[in-house]
Amino acid sequence: MTTKELSEEIYKRYGAVTRARGYFLYTKKGVRLTDMFLEDGRAILGWQAGSAFTHMKNILSRGLTGSFRTEEAFRLKKALSTLLKKEVNFYAFSDKKSALTASLSFSKDNSAVWKAFNKDIDYSSFEAVILSPPLSWTNSVFLLAVDKNICMEKCENLKQLPGEIKLPFALETAITRGIYDYLAEEKIRQEKDWFIYDTFLNKYFTRKGCHLIPKIPRDKYDEFVLYCLDKHIIINPSFEGQSFVPYKVDKGNFSAIKNSPFEF
């Protein structure tokens, strides 16, 4: 199932989404949906997380929307270096394929895709890392962070990578703030905040931290997505994707899938 098809199924059942807050979507028909899809993980901090939007508005109010140079790129570079615990340069792309191609051009054997709250991987050991910003409304932005030393070796005369884009300054500001908001939450959120939902979810998912990998067979997965939606829960519509444990929501939101289980 595609994201567009999931959106249509939500609309058919519950009407238009009128509000998104925390880990919930509120619909025209007065139904609250627990969101475990979270825009494929981009809304991992919640739909109104942190202060990124406020920072973006501040930049817009100052008229910084042109092609001239500001300090924002430097700040985003610093934020990514802090996140990955090494000095990096970054490049922006509007699609993941271009970011992946660029990543492999820097390092075929030592590239990775960053995942939020994945403490089992030392991302500082990779030469190139692809990141989706932890903001729900940046689904057309993919960042590539490359070890500064690798850039010096391979980019001395390279002005622009194929598919590379220039981010608007206001968006750079929002992404920078989003990364720092994420770093603050990374210090707070722990295993205890996720395993408390295992009683409800472990029949259907293998959990690794807050990441959920489906146990449902591929040929049953679309049916399971709709089953969850009927129980007011949104999961990743793609079998290949992951869903996420929502942070500190009431466990009662999952009682329906426990009391009336999906059989497979």
Side-chain angles (χ1 to χ4, degrees), residues 47-60 135 137 170 173-175 177-178 181:
W47 279 95
Q48 292 178 312
S51 55
F53 186 64
T54 299
H55 282 255
M56 185 173 181
K57 286 199 301 181
N58 290 340
I59 293 295
L60 291 173
L135 297 173
W137 33 275
T173 300
I175 293 172
R177 186 67 258 167
D181 287 341

Side-chain angles (χ1 to χ4, degrees), residues 195-200 248-256:
F195 79 74
I196 58 174
Y197 304 102
D198 284 354
T199 302
F200 305 92
K248 288 192 173 181
V249 304
D250 191 287
K251 289 185 286 187
N253 290 287
F254 303 105
S255 59

Side-chain angles (χ1 to χ4, degrees), residues 52-108:
F53 186 64
T54 299
H55 282 255
M56 185 173 181
K57 286 199 301 181
N58 290 340
I59 293 295
L60 291 173
S61 69
R62 289 157 54 192
L64 295 179
T65 57
S67 58
F68 38 79
R69 183 173 178 177
T70 70
E71 295 180 340
E72 304 313 318
F74 169 75
R75 291 170 179 168
L76 179 50
K77 177 181 173 180
K78 184 178 179 181
L80 289 167
S81 296
T82 302
L83 175 67
L84 299 175
K85 299 181 175 63
K86 65 189 303 182
E87 193 167 359
V88 300
N89 290 339
F90 80 90
Y91 309 89
F93 303 87
S94 59
D95 64 277
K96 192 172 184 178
K97 182 178 179 181
S98 294
L100 179 59
T101 300
S103 177
L104 295 176
S105 72
F106 284 107
S107 179
K108 291 183 179 180

